[in-house]
């Protein structure tokens, strides 16, 4: 028997999965976002330039290969880079104006599978281009809160500011100075990050490193006046939306094009890997990928991580089950089912069965109506209908049933 690859699961009639997508999509549209879909395969250079060659994603986790045309390609490990590439390729960066997109689909990372983390996983995300105001940051955060609230998922919001190209360089020098003062005791990853991405040391999961960085300078204490004002305004906006938050000075995005707002939603219900959504502002990424400088902000959330937390609404009966009592009525059943499907959900049974078994079949698929045709109904051009919610039954003309 051939099994699926490790860390890659089938999704079969998963109502939670489809309910999540329907809910997130509905709310994204309410915020004025439209759907975008980018290819699963992209040039590897896209992610080396966007995610960064020093990142674990690029260095260790990408599904990368040379295709038959000698192109260096990979299966997308995240969604933002592809959306930005499409934004530039379609010359939307030069068109001006505001562009807001939402997306969902599979992503791929070669890492050890564990609870809520697969090698093929699915993300839902949004990207907003052309709005520099912190009001857009607050709106994006509010959208996540609305999605999680609608799904019945509890959360905590962590918030930080990464400054800008004015206040980040002097802060980086202060941080490097602190790292060098404890360099003999930090882990090898942090030693490497000191030269490639020093701000990422703050995100190190090594407990000893975290103790050594406890006295490190905090970025929010070194913001320029503009960044400090924006961060204060963001906090006030979230308070006005009744969205609780906590400041996490170790919450970072380690690449140069990230700026100002960084945020992460976490949940206690999914184990050690508790992040369920995250994002921030990346005003320089479009420029990094050879586009016209364009302010941007967005987020992504891992769908598999959230599914077991989703509170499903009470399932209501819907649609029709239609079946025949004798062989002669089967073709009529199929004809009526075909016509009725133009305005309703209909499941047709291809075999003749007793009334009792038809009722069981309708109940099994949670149909609202059980419709049965036998000899009498066929001759009279009627159907027998039972409303399984109200427990009422009647015989009505076929024309009325189709109407």
């Amino acid at each position: 028997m051939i099994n699926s690859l490790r860390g890659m699961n089938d999704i079969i009639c998963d109502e939670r999965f489809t309910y999540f997508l329907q809910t997130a999509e509905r709310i994204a549209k309410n915020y004025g976002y439209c759907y975008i879909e980018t290819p699963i395969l992209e040039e590897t250079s896209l992610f080396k330039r966007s995610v960064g060659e020093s990142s674990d994603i690029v260095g260790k986790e990408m599904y990368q290969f040379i295709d038959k045309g000698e192109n260096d390609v990979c299966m997308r490990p995240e969604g933002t880079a592809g959306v930005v590439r499409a934004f530039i390729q379609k010359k939307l960066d030069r068109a001006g104006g505001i562009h807001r997109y939402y997306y969902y689909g599979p992503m791929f990372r070669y890492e050890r599978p564990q609870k809520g983390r697969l090698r093929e996983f699915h993300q839902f995300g949004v990207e907003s281009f052309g709005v520099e105001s912190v009001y857009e940051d607050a709106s994006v955060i509010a959208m996540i809160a609305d999605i999680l609230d609608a799904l019945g998922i509890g959360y905590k919001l962590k918030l930080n500011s990464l400054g800008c190209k004015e206040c980040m360089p002097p802060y980086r020098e202060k941080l490097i100075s602190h790292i060098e003062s404890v360099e003999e005791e930090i882990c090898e990853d942090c030693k490497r990050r000191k030269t490639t991405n020093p701000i990422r040391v703050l995100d190190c999961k090594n407990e000893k490193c975290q103790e050594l960085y406890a006295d490190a300078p905090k970025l929010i204490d070194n913001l320029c006046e503009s960044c400090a004002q924006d961060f204060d305004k963001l906090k006030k906006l979230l308070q006005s939306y009744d969205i609780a938050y906590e400041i996490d000075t170790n919450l970072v995005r380690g690449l140069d094009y990230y700026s100002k707002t960084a945020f992460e939603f976490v949940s206690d219900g999914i184990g050690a890997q508790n992040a369920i959504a995250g994002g921030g502002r990346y005003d320089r990424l479009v420029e990094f990928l050879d586009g016209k400088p364009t302010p941007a902000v967005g987020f992504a959330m891992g769908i598999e991580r959230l599914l077991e937390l989703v509170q499903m609404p009470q399932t209501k009966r819907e649609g029709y089950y239609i079946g025949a009592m004798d062989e002669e009525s089967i073709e009529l059943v199929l004809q009526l089912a075909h016509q009725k499907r133009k305005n309703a959900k209909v499941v047709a049974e291809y075999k003749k069965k007793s009334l009792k078994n038809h009722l069981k079949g309708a109940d099994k698929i949670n149909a609202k109506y059980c419709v049965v045709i036998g000899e009498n109904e066929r001759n009279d051009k009627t159907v027998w209908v039972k409303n399984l919610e109200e427990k009422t039954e009647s015989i009505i003309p076929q024309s009325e049933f189709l109407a």
Side-chain angles (χ1 to χ4, degrees), residues 12-218:
I12 302 175
C13 297
D14 191 331
E15 291 186 359
R16 287 180 185 274
F17 191 91
T18 53
Y19 177 66
F20 174 93
L21 288 179
Q22 290 166 357
T23 302
E25 186 172 30
R26 171 178 56 81
I27 292 172
K29 287 180 177 179
N30 287 350
Y31 276 77
Y33 285 70
C34 64
Y35 181 64
I36 186 171
E37 183 169 333
T38 61
I40 288 173
L41 275 182
E42 297 272 10
E43 289 189 20
T44 300
S45 59
L46 172 64
F47 299 102
K48 286 184 175 180
R49 293 177 64 184
S50 61
V51 180
E53 292 199 51
S54 64
S55 69
D56 286 345
I57 291 175
V58 171
K60 302 176 183 178
E61 298 171 1
M62 285 203 306
Y63 278 86
Q64 178 184 356
F65 58 94
I66 305 299
D67 71 7
K68 292 181 179 180
E70 299 300 315
N71 301 298
D72 187 353
V73 299
C74 71
M75 299 169 76
R76 62 186 184 194
E78 56 90 38
T80 299
V83 174
V84 174
R85 190 266 312 144
F87 179 75
I88 298 169
Q89 186 174 340
K90 302 299 182 185
K91 295 182 171 55
L92 297 172
D93 57 322
R94 303 193 177 276
I98 300 171
H99 306 267
R100 297 184 175 104
Y101 306 105
Y102 72 90
Y103 63 88
Y104 53 83
M107 312 291 164
F108 302 84
R109 295 183 193 175
Y110 192 89
E111 53 187 341
R112 186 173 64 84
Q114 55 184 290
K115 183 180 180 181
R117 174 176 286 179
L118 300 170
R119 288 176 175 170
E120 179 186 12
F121 58 99
H122 296 78
Q123 281 187 345
F124 178 91
V126 310
E127 315 295 348
S128 169
F129 301 96
V131 184
E132 194 171 2
S133 170
V134 71
Y135 291 140
E136 189 76 345
D137 305 27
S139 178
V140 165
I141 292 172
M143 187 196 306
I144 304 174
D146 284 351
I147 291 171
L148 297 177
D149 287 342
L151 295 170
I153 298 174
Y155 59 84
K156 293 180 182 177
L157 168 61
K158 296 184 177 182
L159 200 63
N160 197 16
S161 175
L162 303 180
C164 65
K165 60 183 180 181
E166 302 300 327
C167 48
M168 175 57 82
Y171 169 74
R172 186 183 285 113
E173 293 304 314
K174 290 182 181 180
L175 180 60
I176 290 173
S177 178
H178 179 84
I179 296 170
E180 289 175 343
S181 71
V182 295
E183 190 165 2
E184 292 184 2
E185 301 178 73
I186 61 178
C187 69
E188 292 301 316
D189 278 344
C190 285
K191 290 177 182 178
R192 174 176 53 83
R193 287 170 176 159
K194 190 195 82 170
T195 54
T196 60
N197 235 335
I199 195 173
R200 286 300 307 276
V201 304
L202 300 176
D203 195 33
C204 180
K205 300 300 186 287
N206 184 300
E207 289 186 9
K208 185 172 183 181
C209 288
Q210 284 299 320
E211 292 175 5
L212 294 169
Y213 302 142
D215 297 327
K218 310 299 182 188

Side-chain angles (χ1 to χ4, degrees), residues 319-323 347 349 353 357-359 361-362 365 367 369-371:
Y320 296 80
Y321 169 102
I322 182 168
V347 175
E349 173 55 58
K353 291 184 178 181
N357 285 331
H358 280 312
L359 288 168
I365 64 167
Y369 299 99
C370 179
V371 180

